Amino acid sequence: MEVLEKNKVQTITGAEALIKCLLAEEVETIFGYPGGAIMPIYDALYGYKDRINHILVRHEQGATHSAQGYARISGKVGVVFATSGPGATNLITGIADAQIDSTPMVCITGQVASSLLGTDAFQETDVMGVSMPVTKWNIQITKAEEIPAAVAKAFYIARSGRPGPVVIDITKDAQFGKVDFEYSSCHQFRSYIPIPEVDQVCIRQAAELINAAKKPMILFGQGVILANAQNEFKSFVEKSGIPSAWTIMGLSALNNDHPLNVGMLGMHGNYGPNKMTNECDVLIAVGMRFDDRVTGDLSRYAKQAKVIHLELDPAEINKNVRADVAVLGDCKFTLPQITRLINEREHKDWLKQFKDLYQEEYDAVIRQELKPDDDKPISMGEVINMISDKTNGESVIVTDVGQHQMVAQRYYQFKRWRSNITSGGLGTMGFALPAAIGAKIGAPERQVIAVIGDGGFQMTIQELGTIYQSGVDVKILILNNEFLGMVRQWQEMFFDRRYSFTEMLNPDFQIISKGYHIPSNKVEKREELDDALDQFLNSKGSFLLEVMVGKENNVFPMVPSGASVSDIILK
């Protein structure tokens, strides 16, 4: 951390003050795209190139997704620079994605001079109004002396409590203005309580319900990961002996091969945990928000169960599912308190019911997905399963949105913490490629694999240029079914196979990859797959592998839209 000489105050520009604030917050990487209104900040950054790594993206949306990938794998705050007007508005999708998925991010946008605000000046946009609904906090700065305190507060808000994105909009005259620079980090301010006080009565009530339960079930989400509570959660699960199922954002919080991990919740989750949600007598939700893709029809969701909800954000309590016991607080601290009070137990007969349902799912779905007949096209599942075996489940998997996303999360056997990066709540196509760039920069020692559909890949395909210029090593897997696959599946099942504008006429991805100096390969036959995956995974530097998969393959099991989780279908 940069420390100023004692009693020596520097008079510098607002732009340089901003860079010094970022250094004080230990920022090492910025994802951004320069422009007129943020040019003074970029000029100041020029003098600090040896201390801050700036990644020049090809579109501002790519900057936000890269910052998300960086934040999700490292636990640090992702930082983004963009100019005013279209530069700022191009950030909004990524900011909204970070907000719903609780990702810490600070986006710094340039703005026209304060004298021009409200005049419809060139590249002026009301960034405060546009970003307010999708940020944890935002602020517009019009004077240089406001910068240090605003930056300190922004980083504190972004990373504390339930994390989220913050926007700082800085007018051009504030960037040029002078400030006597001093910096103090922020640790609290009035009216903001990031971590609620723990109610010991609720801790005891939760433990009593768990001890009395005959058929308890745990649902865990990203809150476990954000709290860095993997060890505390594992201790709780193992002492309680309770079957535990994950949301897609909670994936990798408990190893897939753990004997009490019973699989994935939700629309394309595993058969057992969905079915047994409406059979359990106590439902323990840890760091998850009862999203509609997990619950299905709320009027028929776990009505027989007592619900214990461990949650940091009071707004999530009773929002969708009424909690009989609400344990507010950071689960890294609340889980051990409950664990101390519960009895060490096994639920062998109850767990066996999950295993029996898994076998039913395996026979009806998984066997065919992982080892299809030779006369059938390559399936997404067999590709992911082979990658999982070849990497021993230890790679970072960054998924886009669609069928490949569900398949990757079902069939990659995650064995390491913070290994699953995806767009959960917003479901943003185009997320994976830039997010994988950020993930690799955030964890350069780990192998990062971007799993993408042919549709989502083309939404941010320009970020191949970022890979080329930055030299980042990302393995890019395109599972190409020549359709917008998830939409096509719905059209097949619920719209009488009327494939309305979902078939894709794709370019030659190998030629495009070559244009960015990224080596590539294409697999169309099953006998080519094994060697191609070895080449893909063992290549030095980035590599793009396109695998042609079945055009009309569907993802099952599935909870139809509006149905109860008990109505999950296998085919």
Side-chain angles (χ1 to χ4, degrees), residues 188-205:
Q188 66 177 15
F189 59 91
R190 192 174 65 180
S191 79
Y192 177 57
I193 305 173
I195 300 177
E197 185 176 350
V198 178
D199 187 337
Q200 293 300 317
V201 172
C202 294
I203 295 286
R204 290 193 298 271
Q205 290 174 340

Side-chain angles (χ1 to χ4, degrees), residues 69-86:
Y70 176 88
R72 294 267 293 277
I73 201 167
S74 68
K76 300 176 182 178
V77 178
V79 179
V80 173
F81 280 1
T83 194
S84 63

Side-chain angles (χ1 to χ4, degrees), residues 443-460:
E445 75 286 357
R446 299 193 63 185
Q447 183 178 63
V448 175
I449 304 172
V451 181
I452 317 177
D454 48 309
F457 180 60
Q458 293 177 83
M459 287 197 171
T460 50

Side-chain angles (χ1 to χ4, degrees), residues 31 57 59-72 80 90-98 103 105 107 398 400 421 423 426-439 459-460 462-463:
F31 303 91
V57 297
H59 189 284
E60 291 88 353
Q61 182 180 343
T64 53
H65 295 328
S66 293
Q68 287 176 274
Y70 176 88
R72 294 267 293 277
V80 173
N90 282 344
L91 301 179
I92 296 299
T93 295
I95 293 171
D97 196 293
T103 304
M105 185 164 69
C107 296
V398 185
D400 216 81
I421 298 175
S423 173
L426 199 65
T428 304
M429 291 178 67
F431 173 87
L433 185 60
I437 296 170
M459 287 197 171
T460 50
Q462 70 278 351
E463 299 309 325

Side-chain angles (χ1 to χ4, degrees), residues 157-170:
I157 291 173
R159 66 163 66 101
S160 62
R162 181 177 180 176
V166 170
V167 167
I168 305 174
D169 191 47
I170 309 177

